[in-house]
Amino acid sequence: MCWELWFFYFFTYGILIYSIMLICIYLLIGIYSVYENINHMRKHEFTDYSMVASSSVVPAISILAPAYNESASIVENVRSLFSIYYNNLELIVINDGSKDDSLQKLIDAYHLVKVPYFVNERIATKPVRGVYKSTNAAYKKLTVVDKYNGGKADALNVGLNIATKKYVTCIDVDCVLEQDALLRMVKPFMSSPDKHVIAAGGVIRVANSCEVRGGKITKVHVPKNMLARIQTVEYIRSFLLGRMAWSKLNGLLIISGAFGMFDKEIAIDAGGYDTKTVGEDMELIVRMRLYMEDAKRPYAVRYISDPLCWTEVPTSYRVLWRQRDRWMRGTVETLWTHKKMFFNRKYGVLGLFSYPYWVFFEFLAPIVELLGWVFLIVYAVLGMVIWKFYFLLLIFIVSFGYLFSASSILIETFTFRQYKEKRDVLKLLLAVLYEPVIFHLYVVAAAIRGILKILLKSETGWGEMTRGGFAKKNESVKSDENQKLQTETEETANHVKEENHEK
Amino acid sequence: MAYLDNYVNGNNNKQNLLNHTKINGMKILIAEDEKMTLKMLSMKLQKDGYEVIQAEDGGVAMDYLEKNACPDLVITDIMMPFYSGLEVVEKIRKDLKSKIPIIVLSAMGQEDSVEEAFKLGADDYITKPFSPIELSSRVKRLFNA
Amino acid sequence: MLLLILVRWDLEAQLIFFAILFIGAVSAIFFIAYFSSLLMQKKEDAILEKRDERESLLLTILFEENSEKDDLLVGFKEFNIDVKGNGLRKGKRKMLRQIMIDEILKMKKNLSGAGLEDLYKLYEELRLYKDSYKKLTNNHFQLMVMGIRELSEMNHKVYYRSIYRCTNHVQEDVRIEAQLAIVRLFGVKGLRFLSRVTYTISEWQQMTLLYLLTNMKNERPVDIERWLDSKNDSVVIFSLRLADKYNCFELLEKIGHCLYHPNETVKIQAVLCLKNIYNENTELELLAYYQVVSKRVQIAVLEVLKSLATQDSVFFLYKYLVSCELEIRFSIVRILNGLCEGIDIIRAVEKEPEIKESVIQMLEQINNEKLQYN
């Protein structure tokens, strides 16, 4: 047989098998998630969090909020941190060498003075220029750290060094937290006696167009912006149908950087944030897990399924492009750094299931989709495509994607019910319909661009300092498990038609 | 300006079972973000015959204090969005230089914040959950003092 | 049959069939999602309305002058004729009564004193405890939890035996709620369940129990000594916390035994207890103890020494100042700063410039902290 034929077979069947596997995996995860959601629905939450929150028996938490060139909003953002409803708290704002007057604004607004402070540098970081405390007793909880610029991860590491409490929470200052968010987050750390909980993450929801007052969401609306609306669907789908299942398997590889809580000691022992990657939030979790696996200590990463944190998502294609490009690079870098986990029995679920899943279906999916499109064009030019089959398969695949998205919205209406207006659900369902056309392809392209960037740079090493995370506000959910679905669909379409061709 | 819509004058409440006889037209500002607590506090004080202004968070309270004449008494929660109770107390004492009585509301186990509030010039405190009778007697005492 | 037909079709027909099937399924899901959301909204609105109705009535009753209160209670019963079941379907009646219970519980959070008594009275008079008890005897654990919570929140003691039986229930949620309920009802006396509980009491649960106890009259639990011997480590830890909270000086010896418990967390908790419960020997014992334990326990020991240390410790602490890691050194400097002059501390580490540098910084911070808010 000549090589062209081999080539042809390899790709056609390869892509077909890949797509079938992908669909199966999604189905499995989806069904498992639905099951878990039904369980969750039955379970009422009784704990009266608000009463406990104001008492002093609650465990101490340090909140880390990095800031870079945010002069315009910094004072307001810090003010909203003060309205977090929790008694036993310390707020650490880290000024990452801003070039504007962020620091001065903070000093003026909160009556800060520079205080002598001994920094126990357990993680190596860029030097600290000074630590500031307020002279006003009302702002006693606030500590502002001024340091030389070193990127978001570096700023967070300084925060870890300075934090004095047992648990640390890293948040994007422009996020809106639910009132009892911190208590809900800290609860899992204290309620599993047999396993050491090293980290916990929550559900992120889209805050665009929602009414916010005093750091609280007062009314939830479906975003007016089309792009944001699609992302709302994407987030719901990803959190309800993806993470729920992964967390139950204890295979969660990511906690969104917008709002997550860690056990400080473990985070520091594992080495803190990696300053060389753009996906420092994912990387840290993976490394903390590895640290625990290597030490053979029973541990868990918990996931809180109620919406706790609301964030603004990008409403312009340009920002969205940058965000997805970055997510993809973060993913690839993290996966590459920890490649020893790949099908490594030693790491249990993590090595045999989570990690390969990320490689095959998060990292490879956009590439396979690209290949699919390329082949489609090539075959079309050569006149080898049976269009009737192509379109049938396309319908099949697209409707599979629709099914998935619509189910997640159905689950949402039965469980969390955040969208209460009459037309809200209808709007979301419509967004599901136009998602593949105006959103999906664009996102895949951005991901591929991210991969290309990495490949092109690979000789010079993995990374230059990236500070993107500060400038933009919206990078919160690292990656979306299901978004790629529709994509694959098209590929399946591609090869099946190819297959027919051979007959 | 944005907050203006949020003033709820107690007398506009639809609870028309209440009698509106005012004791010398004494005005009480209540700042509390927990809706139920706010409702119950103002209900009780209205029953006692005071005029009640409800502020549903620190922002509304501050705004009211800025734009209106000082009320005759202020009851404020400590943990609130925008401005905490401590800041409200500070504003009244330092910026407005007013000597009106201030009661802070605190949940159980918040003693340190209460101490802070006393330092800033609060006169009395009530713990949540509150006893309605205790509430009226404390308010009465402060008015007579 | 269908399968047979399907197999006979050619590929194209099969595909068309599946495509149609899928489109059908998708549109079905879409419709279901949309209409169920509408339906649920409607239901929710209806419930909300009922809630508001009851809420305002409850408020009126609570703050009505005494003379009219009883009349209103009667009127309330009339208004809630459905509670008695006249002319209403069973399901709906149950729902309305549940709303009533929810509202009462919600108000309870804000009330104490006479207002609270009124709520209890209302709960009794409307016989809502019957509903709660029914839930308690249900097999579904979520309902059990609700029942237990309602009865205990409303201070209804009649069924306490059934609740007590649940304190070692297999189902975690039930167990947790029953433990809380028993404490809610009987205060420290309710802690009796500690003698029989075999499951671990989580940190969170301990915190909540302590929180509940904080809001109650101070009466000392009598059995702490026995619980300190428990085979259940979490019970030992919790008892240590209780001993600490209630200042049980007579347990000092017992607590001393716990310092040598095999479980590290117990050790730490025992050490922390000594902050409040100690005698003249404790300091020296701790210093000796310090040398034989792990770092986590050492940190706890230093924490306690912060308030206990006297001149007797100084020599010992100097010894450890030079030979340990920063976190521990910081704690030691903090203790020493309270005992002797800063300059002496610096002199003690004169020979090692690196350590000296860090000690100076630490001293600066500590001294500044004292000034900051005074």
Side-chain angles (χ1 to χ4, degrees), chain A residues 380-400:
Chain A
V381 170
L382 297 178
M384 287 159 78
V385 180
I386 302 170
W387 290 104
K388 205 194 285 168
F389 277 108
Y390 174 73
F391 282 113
L392 277 175
L393 278 168
L394 197 66
I395 288 173
F396 172 72
I397 290 296
V398 170
S399 54
F400 182 79

Side-chain angles (χ1 to χ4, degrees), chain A residues 177 219 347:
Chain A
L177 297 187
K219 198 151 184 7
Y347 296 120

Side-chain angles (χ1 to χ4, degrees), chain A residues 2 4 78 82 87 100 167 171 182 218 230 266 301 308 334 349 355 357 365-366 373 401 403 431 455 481 493 499:
Chain A
C2 60
E4 284 107 330
V78 172
F82 273 108
N87 199 16
D100 58 7
Y167 303 109
I171 58 175
L182 282 182
T218 48
I230 294 174
I266 305 287
V301 172
L308 293 181
T334 307
V349 177
Y355 189 91
Y357 169 84
W373 287 112
L403 200 69
L455 287 179
E481 275 88 334
E499 206 181 323

Side-chain angles (χ1 to χ4, degrees), chain A residues 102-387:
Chain A
S102 296
L103 183 66
Q104 195 53 45
K105 282 211 166 144
L106 282 175
I107 290 176
D108 295 343
Y110 297 104
H111 319 290
L112 303 176
V113 288
K114 193 166 178 175
V115 295
Y117 201 92
F118 173 70
V119 182
N120 182 0
E121 206 180 317
R122 296 174 67 188
I123 307 169
T125 59
K126 288 275 164 62
V128 170
R129 277 196 290 234
V131 175
Y132 295 80
K133 283 272 194 181
S134 174
T135 50
N136 185 342
Y139 306 122
K140 209 157 87 182
K141 291 171 179 170
L142 179 68
T143 307
V144 174
V145 186
D146 185 32
K147 67 179 276 284
Y148 287 97
N149 178 258
K152 186 177 182 183
D154 196 56
L156 287 170
N157 282 337
V158 168
L160 283 174
N161 282 336
I162 284 193
T164 56
K165 314 291 188 195
K166 192 173 176 204
Y167 303 109
V168 288
T169 304
C170 306
I171 58 175
D172 287 357
V173 271
D174 52 350
C175 276
V176 182
L177 297 187
E178 293 283 325
Q179 194 167 37
D180 48 12
L182 282 182
L183 261 182
R184 272 173 199 261
M185 280 289 242
V186 84
K187 188 180 175 194
F189 285 91
M190 303 177 69
S191 29
S192 43
D194 47 336
K195 278 182 181 170
H196 190 132
V197 175
I198 56 171
V203 173
I204 313 283
R205 285 297 176 90
V206 175
N208 297 42
S209 304
C210 289
E211 289 166 33
V212 182
R213 249 184 75 72
K216 260 200 272 186
I217 294 270
T218 48
K219 198 151 184 7
V220 180
H221 291 295
V222 173
K224 292 197 182 73
N225 178 286
M226 197 167 62
L227 212 49
R229 202 179 280 181
I230 294 174
Q231 287 174 83
T232 308
V233 175
E234 189 193 1
Y235 279 39
I236 290 177
R237 188 178 56 204
S238 143
F239 281 105
L240 284 187
L241 286 187
R243 298 225 181 153
M244 194 93 162
W246 283 113
S247 75
K248 285 289 162 188
L249 293 171
N250 199 10
L252 210 59
L253 275 195
I254 184 156
I255 279 178
S256 56
F259 185 46
M261 197 181 277
F262 305 93
D263 185 313
K264 191 186 80 188
E265 288 305 314
I266 305 287
I268 290 180
D269 288 344
Y273 284 95
D274 181 0
T275 48
K276 291 200 183 68
T277 170
V278 286
E280 70 282 331
D281 39 4
M282 177 185 188
E283 207 278 335
L284 179 67
I285 289 293
V286 175
R287 197 142 33 79
M288 282 171 78
R289 296 190 77 128
L290 277 176
Y291 172 80
M292 294 304 273
E293 294 273 359
D294 288 336
K296 299 228 166 16
R297 287 163 68 181
Y299 74 97
V301 172
R302 296 272 186 232
Y303 165 85
I304 296 103
S305 52
D306 308 85
L308 293 181
C309 173
W310 298 73
T311 188
E312 297 262 329
V313 297
T315 48
S316 85
Y317 277 100
R318 211 167 47 85
V319 182
L320 181 73
W321 176 274
R322 278 211 306 260
Q323 182 194 41
R324 298 303 157 117
D325 168 14
R326 232 172 64 88
W327 284 3
M328 190 33 117
R329 275 185 292 140
T331 307
V332 176
E333 282 169 356
T334 307
L335 292 176
W336 179 254
T337 318
H338 299 289
K339 54 187 177 297
K340 67 170 174 182
M341 279 162 66
F342 191 57
F343 282 122
N344 190 337
R345 272 235 303 278
K346 210 174 97 192
Y347 296 120
V349 177
L350 213 55
L352 295 179
F353 214 60
S354 292
Y355 189 91
Y357 169 84
W358 274 78
V359 171
F360 286 126
F361 302 118
E362 295 288 330
F363 164 60
L364 278 183
I367 298 179
V368 174
E369 175 162 352
L370 180 71
L371 281 179
W373 287 112
V374 169
F375 274 83
L376 174 67
I377 292 166
V378 170
Y379 290 144
V381 170
L382 297 178
M384 287 159 78
V385 180
I386 302 170
W387 290 104

Side-chain angles (χ1 to χ4, degrees), chain B residues 14-19 36 39-40 43-44 47, chain C residues 52-66 68-70 72-73 76 107 118-119 122:
Chain B
K14 52 181 168 183
Q15 300 290 341
N16 43 17
L17 283 163
L18 300 171
N19 51 357
M36 197 64 202
K39 214 182 234 175
M40 291 172 83
M43 187 102 179
K44 175 66 190 164
K47 282 255 67 147
Chain C
D52 286 347
E53 231 168 56
R54 271 150 188 76
E55 186 188 289
S56 51
L57 251 157
L58 269 173
L59 280 173
T60 322
I61 287 182
L62 281 174
F63 297 119
E64 204 45 65
E65 295 307 315
N66 277 330
E68 304 155 40
K69 197 173 259 170
D70 290 334
L72 255 166
L73 259 176
F76 194 62
M107 287 195 185
D118 288 342
L119 275 185
L122 200 64

